[in-house]
Amino acid sequence: MALVETRSIDYVPLAERRGKVHHLWPVWFMGDAHLATLATGAISVVGGLDLFWSSLAVIGGCALGTVLMALHCTQGPHLGLPQMIQSRPQFGYIGALLVWIVALFTYIGFNALNQSLAASTLKELVGLPEAPAIIGFGLLAALVAGIGYDVIHQTQRVLAYIMLAALAVYTVGFFTAFDLGALLQPGEFKLTLFLVQFFAAAGYQLSWSIYVSDYSRYLPREVGIKSAFLWTFCGAFIGGTWMMLVGAFAGATFTDPDIVVALRRSADAMFGGFGWLMLVSSFFGLITITSLNLYGSSLTLLSVIDSVRPIPLGARARLASLVVCLIASLSLSLGTGGNVMHQFEAFLGVLVYLFTPWTAINLADFFFVRKGRYSIRAMFMAEGIYGRWNWRGLTAYAAGFVAMIPFFKTELYVGPVARALGGADISMLIGLPVSAAIYVLLCRSMDLAGELAQIPALDRNLETEPVR
C-alpha cells in the first residue's frame, strides 16, 4: 500500500477493498469521544435543565440521529464511493451542489469549533496562546488527513482503547466522588430545554451522515448492510451518548462556561491529576475528528469542483483541496470570538434544518426506490442517466424544508407552531417523513426499469478501467 492514499472521490475497485467490518466501531466511537461532543451534552444543563431530564434528552437524541447515520454507512461497502457523490442520483449532477455546499460549511464550522476547543485545552494544560495553538493543531490534523484513509482508521483504533479506559475511570470516579442520587433527582420538566438538547444530540449524530460512508467505502462489499449498520451504530451511539453524558455531568457539577475547565475540575474532584489525563485523552480525539472533517471536506470540495468542471481524480487533487479547506477553517476559528457554546448550539440547530430533508431523500432512494442499484459511471457523467438536475429530489427537499419552517426556533425566527409549543422545536420529526414520502411518491413516475436496463452496459468494465 502507498503511504499516501492515492484515491479521492473515484470508485474503489473490489480488488482494492480491505479491512474488517468491526473496524468501524473505533472510527465512530472516537469520532464522538472528544471535546466537541462534550460541549453538545452540556447545552441544556448550562441552560438550566436538571441532569435527569438532560440525560434522557441526550440518550433519546443520540439514538435517533445515530440510526440515520448508521444507515448511511451501509452505502459505503455497497457502492465504494464517498457519501456526497452518492447524492447525484437523487439530485442530479449539478443539483447535488445544493447539499455539497451545505456540507462544506458544516465541515468548516465543525473544524473552527474543534480548533477553538483545542486552543482552550492547550491553554488549560500548558498555557499556550490561542493563535499558535489553533494553527499548530490544524496543521497536525491536516497531516493525518493528508495521508488518508488507512492512517485515520489505524489511529482511531489505538485511541479508542485509551479513551475507553479514561471514560470508564471517569464514570466510576463520578459515582464515588459525587452524590449521584441527588444529582439525578428529577426536577421541573422544561419542554423547550429538553427538546433543544434532544435535537442538538440528534443533529450532532446526524451530521456524520454527510461523510460516514467515506470511511466504509474500502470495505469488501460482502460485509453486508446489517453488519455495517450494527458496528457503526454501536461505536457512534456508545461514544456519543457516553461523552455527552460526561459533558452534562461536568456541567451540572461545575457550572463553568468553559466546558474544558468544567471537565478538568470534575475529574480532579475524583483524584488529583485525573483532570489533566481526561483533557489529554479528549485532546487526541479532537485531533483525529478534525482530520476526519478535513478529509471529508476535501472530498466534498472536489465533488463541487468536479460538478462545475471535470478534474483528474487522484491524490494531488485531494491534497490541494485539503489545503484550501484547512485555510478556510483556520481563518474562521482565528476570527471567532464570544461564547463558543452559544454559537455551537445555534450551529447545530441549522444543521438539523439543512440535513434532515437530504438524509430522508438519500435513504429513501437507497432503500426503497432504487434499492442500491446504481450505475457508478453514470454518477460521473454530466449527461448520464441521472441528469444534470433531478427535479424529484430537489422538489422533495424544498417541500420538506418548507414543511419544517413553522416548527423552526432560531434567534432570528420562531415559527408559529414552535411558538405555540412554548418555543419547542420539533422540525426534524416533520422534515424526515415529509421529504421521504414526497420523494417516493414523485419517483412513481420515473422509468426505473429503463434506467436499470442501462446499468450493465455502463458499468461493464468498472473493475478494470477508471470511472472517467
Side-chain angles (χ1 to χ4, degrees):
M1 300 301 299
L3 174 62
V4 177
E5 182 185 354
T6 57
R7 296 199 174 274
S8 56
I9 62 174
D10 46 331
Y11 171 71
V12 180
L14 297 178
E16 295 182 22
R17 305 291 185 89
R18 71 264 189 187
K20 305 293 184 183
V21 68
H22 65 262
H23 290 166
L24 291 172
W25 84 262
V27 170
W28 298 112
F29 176 84
M30 279 308 299
D32 274 325
H34 55 82
L35 294 168
T37 313
L38 196 79
T40 307
I43 287 173
S44 58
V45 168
V46 172
L49 188 65
D50 67 73
L51 187 57
F52 175 80
W53 293 115
S54 294
S55 299
L56 289 183
V58 162
I59 294 169
C62 280
L64 174 61
T66 308
V67 164
L68 298 172
M69 169 259 201
L71 287 172
H72 282 289
C73 186
T74 64
Q75 299 168 331
H78 184 74
L79 296 174
L81 291 171
Q83 190 74 63
M84 286 290 97
I85 287 292
Q86 299 169 28
S87 296
R88 280 177 171 164
Q90 301 98 56
F91 297 95
Y93 190 87
I94 302 296
L97 284 171
L98 167 71
V99 290
W100 293 346
I101 291 171
V102 170
L104 266 180
F105 280 108
T106 303
Y107 286 125
I108 292 169
F110 265 119
N111 272 349
L113 171 76
N114 291 343
Q115 289 156 1
S116 297
L117 286 171
S120 179
T121 305
L122 289 173
K123 182 179 179 181
E124 182 72 15
L125 289 172
V126 296
L128 191 66
E130 182 181 67
I134 287 175
I135 294 171
F137 174 84
L139 291 173
L140 179 59
L143 176 63
V144 176
I147 297 173
Y149 181 95
D150 286 332
V151 74
I152 291 173
H153 267 265
Q154 291 162 4
T155 304
Q156 293 290 74
R157 288 201 290 274
V158 172
L159 292 179
Y161 293 105
I162 296 174
M163 199 63 204
L164 270 173
L167 284 173
V169 173
Y170 182 93
T171 303
V172 172
F174 203 97
F175 275 92
T176 57
F178 299 97
D179 185 352
L180 204 60
L183 283 172
L184 287 175
Q185 189 69 28
E188 179 187 357
F189 178 70
K190 300 175 181 178
L191 178 63
T192 301
L193 283 172
F194 181 88
L195 291 176
V196 165
Q197 182 64 72
F198 181 95
F199 287 108
Y204 186 85
Q205 296 298 87
L206 178 64
S207 67
W208 301 129
S209 298
I210 62 175
Y211 61 123
V212 61
S213 70
D214 295 1
Y215 299 97
S216 62
R217 74 190 199 278
Y218 280 89
L219 287 175
R221 184 177 292 170
E222 52 269 21
V223 301
I225 287 177
K226 183 178 179 180
S227 295
F229 173 86
L230 289 175
W231 283 109
T232 302
F233 180 86
C234 289
F237 179 75
I238 294 171
T241 303
W242 200 348
M243 202 67 181
M244 287 187 203
L245 289 177
V246 167
F249 279 44
T253 50
F254 291 89
T255 54
D256 195 290
D258 188 335
I259 191 63
V260 174
V261 176
L263 174 64
R264 183 169 191 171
R265 290 179 178 176
S266 64
D268 279 336
M270 300 170 195
F271 58 87
F274 185 45
W276 185 87
L277 290 174
M278 278 299 295
L279 287 187
V280 170
S281 300
S282 301
F283 180 76
F284 284 129
L286 205 56
I287 294 173
T288 55
I289 191 54
T290 304
S291 299
L292 264 72
N293 286 338
L294 283 170
Y295 181 86
S297 64
S298 68
L299 298 183
T300 302
L301 179 57
L302 282 182
S303 301
V304 170
I305 297 170
D306 186 65
S307 292
V308 178
R309 181 180 181 180
I311 56 174
L313 306 178
R316 183 176 298 179
R318 182 177 65 83
L319 293 174
S321 64
L322 176 66
V323 171
V324 173
C325 294
L326 173 64
I327 292 172
S329 63
L330 286 176
S331 300
L332 182 60
S333 56
L334 289 171
T336 299
N339 189 335
V340 174
M341 278 288 291
H342 180 69
Q343 295 168 358
F344 188 48
E345 179 183 339
F347 180 60
L348 283 176
V350 172
L351 288 185
V352 171
Y353 301 149
L354 295 174
F355 285 122
T356 294
W358 168 80
T359 197
I361 293 166
N362 184 266
L363 291 177
D365 188 69
F366 186 83
F367 287 101
F368 299 107
V369 178
R370 291 184 170 94
K371 299 179 180 178
R373 296 167 296 179
Y374 299 91
S375 167
I376 304 299
R377 288 194 186 282
M379 294 190 202
F380 294 89
M381 297 176 178
E383 306 298 336
I385 58 176
Y386 302 126
R388 287 180 172 270
W389 303 89
N390 187 329
W391 65 270
R392 295 176 177 87
L394 294 170
T395 301
Y397 185 98
F401 188 83
V402 169
M404 294 167 67
I405 291 176
F407 301 85
F408 284 179
K409 182 185 181 297
T410 68
E411 291 184 357
L412 299 177
Y413 172 77
V414 179
V417 178
R419 191 179 297 111
L421 293 173
D425 186 335
I426 61 169
S427 58
M428 187 178 182
L429 298 182
I430 306 302
L432 283 170
V434 169
S435 301
I438 291 177
Y439 181 75
V440 171
L441 182 64
L442 293 176
C443 286
R444 292 179 66 182
S445 65
M446 183 173 65
D447 182 13
L448 183 60
E451 177 185 299
L452 296 179
Q454 298 180 59
I455 293 177
L458 284 168
D459 289 355
R460 183 175 59 251
N461 299 318
L462 181 65
E463 299 301 325
T464 55
E465 297 178 5
V467 293
R468 179 183 293 137

